[in-house]
Amino acid sequence: MTQLPSPSGLPPVDFNDWSADFEGFSRRLGDSFVRYGFCVIADHDLDLARIDRAIAASQAFFALPEAVKRSYVTGVGGQRGYTPFGVETAKDSPHFDLKEFWHMGRELPAGHAYAPVMPPNVWPEEVADFREEITWLFNALEDFGLRVLQALAAYLGLERRWFDDPVRDGNSILRLLHYPPAPPDGPNIRAGAHGDINVITLLLGAEEAGLEVLDHDGRWLAVNPPAGSLVCNIGDMLERLSNRVLPSTIHRVVNPAPERRGFSRYSTPFFLHFRPDFEVRTLPGCVTADRLDAFPEPITADAFLQQRLREIKLA
């Protein structure tokens, strides 16, 4: 696996190559992840007009009165529905994040075995097309994520569809994020430095400045993808599975420049997860004489998730 030199930014990987040059796409995608833990995927084939409709539905919800939004706090550790401003706090940070958000999870049939750890969704009655548009976005991003995972499986020397079973009925989450206009300088930022818990994260809405990635030398690199791109990063579960071949990189969202402080920022990260009972066990092919197994004790995906949710005050 090739270690890329350190340029000043993240060069986009063209998603058209997923079909035209899968081997090349897999190599370029994996190399970006090895180098940064992140990748900018250009020219994705998601329906941009439909994405805009989903974002509009999200904005309509966040524009509702505070009392109405708080009526959708579900009491299940932030897994579904609304989480108010000032609740989520990055691990080990004394300062809460400057954001509010909505969570949608997988819709399970009645009596499903995972129902005890994957509660039903709630839906705001005040936004007519919210359920339809947000459900579409969840499904579209999950399908896209499965294709990204095929490329990563090939990069790791696995059978192309190796990830299909571990993520089937996975505990994935679509988060609708609203960062309100930022206050004057203070200790709180829009999202404190953190790593993601899950397998991979797919992010739409990163064109607005603020997302930064911590590089190996301690510098913060701004991630400002071109329009029509998607940002993807490795989560802690895949870092563990791959024995840190694919690293989960610390990132943050900083407050905007003074001229943009009066504007909200919206984004929609999709956290793709393994199914709750999947055992996260180091892949044998990722252990060598030079890279010993850093995670010799396996852990189920749900146990790992619950541990991390407690650390960020969502459980």
Side-chain angles (χ1 to χ4, degrees):
M1 298 173 190
T2 305
Q3 184 82 3
L4 295 179
S6 178
S8 59
L10 279 67
V13 176
D14 188 344
F15 190 70
N16 290 312
D17 288 338
W18 190 90
S19 298
D21 177 19
F22 181 80
E23 182 180 345
F25 176 83
S26 172
R27 182 179 65 255
R28 289 184 286 274
L29 181 84
D31 284 348
S32 183
F33 284 133
V34 168
R35 171 63 183 83
Y36 299 106
F38 273 72
C39 185
V40 173
I41 301 176
D43 294 320
H44 63 72
D45 59 358
L46 298 171
D47 186 333
L48 295 178
R50 196 73 191 268
I51 290 171
D52 288 343
R53 294 209 297 272
I55 296 295
S58 168
Q59 293 173 337
F61 171 78
F62 289 120
L64 294 172
E66 186 69 15
V68 175
K69 291 188 290 187
R70 285 182 176 269
S71 71
Y72 294 102
V73 175
T74 65
V76 288
Q79 292 183 72
R80 303 292 186 268
Y82 178 62
T83 295
F85 182 85
V87 173
E88 187 171 53
T89 304
K91 180 182 177 182
D92 299 326
S93 173
H95 308 296
F96 62 78
D97 291 346
L98 301 178
K99 65 190 180 191
E100 58 180 341
F101 53 89
W102 180 278
H103 275 171
M104 177 207 165
R106 184 175 306 283
E107 299 265 45
L108 294 176
H112 194 284
Y114 297 151
V117 294
M118 294 168 60
N121 288 301
V122 296
W123 300 105
E125 299 176 357
E126 294 78 7
V127 182
D129 58 348
F130 188 94
R131 181 171 186 169
E132 177 183 357
E133 299 301 339
I134 301 309
T135 298
W136 172 85
L137 186 58
F138 181 103
N139 292 332
L141 287 172
E142 179 171 56
D143 176 73
F144 191 88
L146 289 172
R147 290 184 283 168
V148 171
L149 287 176
Q150 287 185 32
L152 286 179
Y155 188 80
L156 293 171
L158 303 170
E159 189 275 323
R160 179 167 168 168
R161 303 193 74 96
W162 188 92
F163 284 100
D164 285 10
D165 179 66
V167 302
R168 184 175 293 113
D169 288 339
N171 195 5
S172 300
I173 295 284
L174 174 60
R175 173 178 284 191
L176 310 177
L177 267 170
H178 173 222
Y179 304 97
D185 292 338
N188 302 74
I189 63 173
R190 284 179 160 175
H194 65 283
D196 288 350
I197 301 170
N198 45 294
V199 183
I200 58 171
T201 301
L202 305 172
L203 175 67
L204 296 168
E207 291 90 346
E208 177 75 22
L211 177 61
E212 296 183 344
V213 175
L214 186 63
D215 203 5
H216 301 313
D217 61 5
R219 292 180 302 150
W220 286 101
L221 300 179
V223 180
N224 296 309
S229 298
L230 178 150
V231 175
C232 183
N233 65 277
I234 303 299
D236 293 347
M237 290 185 187
L238 186 49
E239 175 182 72
R240 185 177 181 122
L241 185 79
S242 70
N243 198 30
R244 297 187 177 137
V245 170
L246 300 175
S248 176
T249 303
I250 298 297
H251 52 286
R252 66 185 183 182
V253 179
V254 298
N255 294 339
E259 63 271 18
R260 295 294 299 174
R261 285 180 182 169
F263 296 87
S264 288
R265 184 182 194 271
Y266 298 91
S267 64
T268 57
F270 177 76
F271 303 111
L272 194 152
H273 277 261
F274 293 129
R275 65 176 188 267
D277 56 1
F278 175 72
E279 189 175 71
V280 183
R281 181 186 293 272
T282 306
L283 292 168
C286 293
V287 179
T288 67
D290 296 326
R291 184 186 292 273
L292 300 180
D293 190 351
F295 307 101
E297 295 298 325
I299 186 172
T300 66
D302 186 62
F304 186 82
L305 172 63
Q306 297 308 318
Q307 172 186 310
R308 288 296 310 280
L309 289 176
R310 289 191 292 272
E311 292 172 349
I312 61 173
K313 301 181 181 179
L314 286 182

